């Protein structure tokens, strides 16, 4: 498997902030103010039990029903969190906001389903490196909308800027990991900083031969992923993974081989088989001939969040617990993570299922 660092850097920079020019659209200052007002007051209907038509059963046969539902019939939903510099990206964070896909366009809602930005962006809505909302849709009254978003969410709209990407890498298992930083036209490496491990004892490390080129350093040869600690000890010494996720302080982390995902524990033991499919981080593929971008397939599997992770198997969604058990079998249409549970879609309706009570 040969992956050149500049290619990966270019892909990462596609998700970096790009200049956004205010233009005419249906998004106005009043619409954001209305969203903020409705977000401040949860309706009793949202807190009521869900109709029997979408009630399901957990793996142990216990009755399962959502604590509330969302009104939008979204095709996909994912946490709209920090597009951090360290690769791979975190699958969730601590912001209660979600980017949602409808009609091929992305928008922004809060965890109660209140619309903050309409589905008009070509790319999934994320927070940039500086903590601003990245939204590629046309916006009227840019300054006012941005100010209202900052008031409501604590984050303004992104004015557009560049960025760089960081990989934690080593030339071979057993070597002490370093950090490789990249930006257009150059890359360099330096000693690993504690904050780049995000507090995990074992963190994602990319392995390969370090090669210097005109544009900087890149990894070549047999390139693969694994987990290592700050001393270079490898979590799964007999494995070469295509991709991995983060532990993020949880009991399990996702790993991929031959297009399928499994979960491993903090001692390097497999808690599941390689049976799950990529289900988040949608990217866009640019066609230079047509000048258009098309939505590509998801890239990663979710990490656990307070003990649970939504997973997809054979096109259906369920929920995995910290033992590797499908506590909710894969039978739903779509899913998204939530601390201590998950959002799941059934019969066109998104419901929030809490599992740690």
């Amino acid at each position: 498997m040969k992956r050149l660092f500049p290619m990966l850097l270019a892909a990462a920079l596609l998700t970096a902030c790009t200049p956004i020019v205010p233009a005419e659209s249906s998004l106005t200052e009043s619409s954001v103010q209305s969203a903020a007002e409705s977000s401040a007051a949860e309706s009793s209907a949202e807190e009521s039990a869900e109709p029997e038509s979408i009630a399901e059963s957990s793996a142990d046969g216990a009755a399962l029903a959502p604590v509330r539902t969302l009104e939008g019939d979204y095709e996909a939903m994912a946490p709209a969190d920090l597009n951090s510099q360290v690769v791979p990206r975190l699958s969730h964070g601590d912001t209660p906001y979600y980017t949602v896909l409808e009609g091929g366009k992305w928008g922004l809602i809060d965890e109660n389903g209140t619309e903050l930005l309409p589905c008009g962006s070509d790319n999934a809505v994320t927070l940039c490196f500086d903590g601003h909302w990245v939204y590629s849709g046309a916006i009227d009254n840019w300054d006012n909308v941005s100010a209202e978003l900052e008031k409501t969410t604590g984050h303004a709209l992104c004015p557009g800027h560049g960025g760089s990407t960081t990989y934690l890498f080593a030339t071979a298992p057993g070597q002490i990991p370093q950090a490789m930083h990249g930006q257009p036209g150059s890359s360099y490496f330096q000693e690993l900083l504690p904050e780049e491990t995000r507090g995990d004892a074992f963190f994602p490390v990319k392995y390969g031969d370090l090669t210097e080129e005109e544009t900087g350093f890149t990894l070549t040869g047999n390139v693969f992923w694994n987990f290592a600690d700050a001393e270079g000890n490898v979590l799964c010494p007999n494995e070469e993974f295509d991709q991995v996720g983060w532990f993020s302080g949880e009991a399990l982390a996702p790993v991929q081989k031959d297009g399928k995902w499994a979960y491993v524990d903090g001692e390097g033991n497999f808690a599941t088989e390689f049976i799950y499919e990529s289900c988040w981080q949608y990217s866009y593929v640019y066609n230079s001939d047509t000048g258009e971008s098309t939505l590509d397939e998801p890239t990663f599997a979710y990490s656990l969040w307070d003990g649970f992770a939504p997973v997809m198997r054979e096109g259906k969604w369920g929920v995995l617990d910290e033992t590797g058990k499908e506590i909710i079998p894969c039978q739903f249409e779509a899913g998204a993570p939530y601390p201590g549970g998950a959002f799941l879609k059934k019969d066109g309706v998104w419901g929030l299922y809490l599992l740690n009570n």
Side-chain angles (χ1 to χ4, degrees), residues 165-334:
T165 301
T166 298
Y167 289 87
L168 309 185
F169 83 98
T171 55
Q175 297 295 317
I176 294 178
Q178 299 181 72
M180 180 184 292
H181 306 280
Q183 52 192 357
S186 66
S187 60
Y188 61 97
F189 61 93
Q190 64 183 29
E191 184 178 344
L192 181 68
L193 298 176
E195 58 266 26
E196 291 170 333
T197 69
R198 293 171 172 153
D200 282 343
F202 285 92
F203 44 86
V205 174
K206 190 175 183 180
Y207 293 90
D209 299 327
L210 187 64
T211 303
E212 185 174 8
E213 300 179 346
E214 292 183 0
T215 56
F217 293 94
T218 186
L219 292 178
T220 61
N222 181 29
V223 180
F224 62 92
W225 289 86
N226 209 312
F227 298 95
D229 63 15
E231 303 300 320
N233 299 304
V234 177
L235 181 64
C236 303
N238 297 320
E239 298 290 347
E240 296 182 355
F241 299 116
D242 297 339
Q243 297 183 108
V244 298
W246 289 83
F247 277 96
S248 299
E250 301 283 346
L252 304 178
V255 294
Q256 186 194 48
K257 288 179 69 175
D258 300 324
K260 295 291 187 179
W261 291 87
Y263 285 78
V264 298
D265 65 20
E267 296 182 353
N269 302 310
F270 285 90
T272 75
E273 298 179 355
F274 286 90
I275 57 175
Y276 296 107
E277 300 161 19
S278 298
C279 60
W280 78 276
Q281 188 175 341
Y282 296 84
S283 59
Y284 284 77
V285 177
Y286 178 73
N287 188 323
S288 59
D289 294 330
T290 64
E292 298 180 348
S293 297
T294 56
L295 186 65
D296 198 6
E297 295 298 319
T299 306
F300 293 108
Y302 280 113
S303 298
L304 274 64
W305 197 357
D306 285 356
F308 302 95
V311 291
M312 185 171 69
R313 179 168 50 83
E314 298 178 354
K316 295 294 184 179
W317 290 72
V319 177
L320 197 77
D321 71 8
E322 61 185 5
T323 70
K325 176 182 179 181
E326 273 186 30
I327 191 169
I328 298 180
C330 291
Q331 56 191 4
F332 287 80
E333 300 162 10

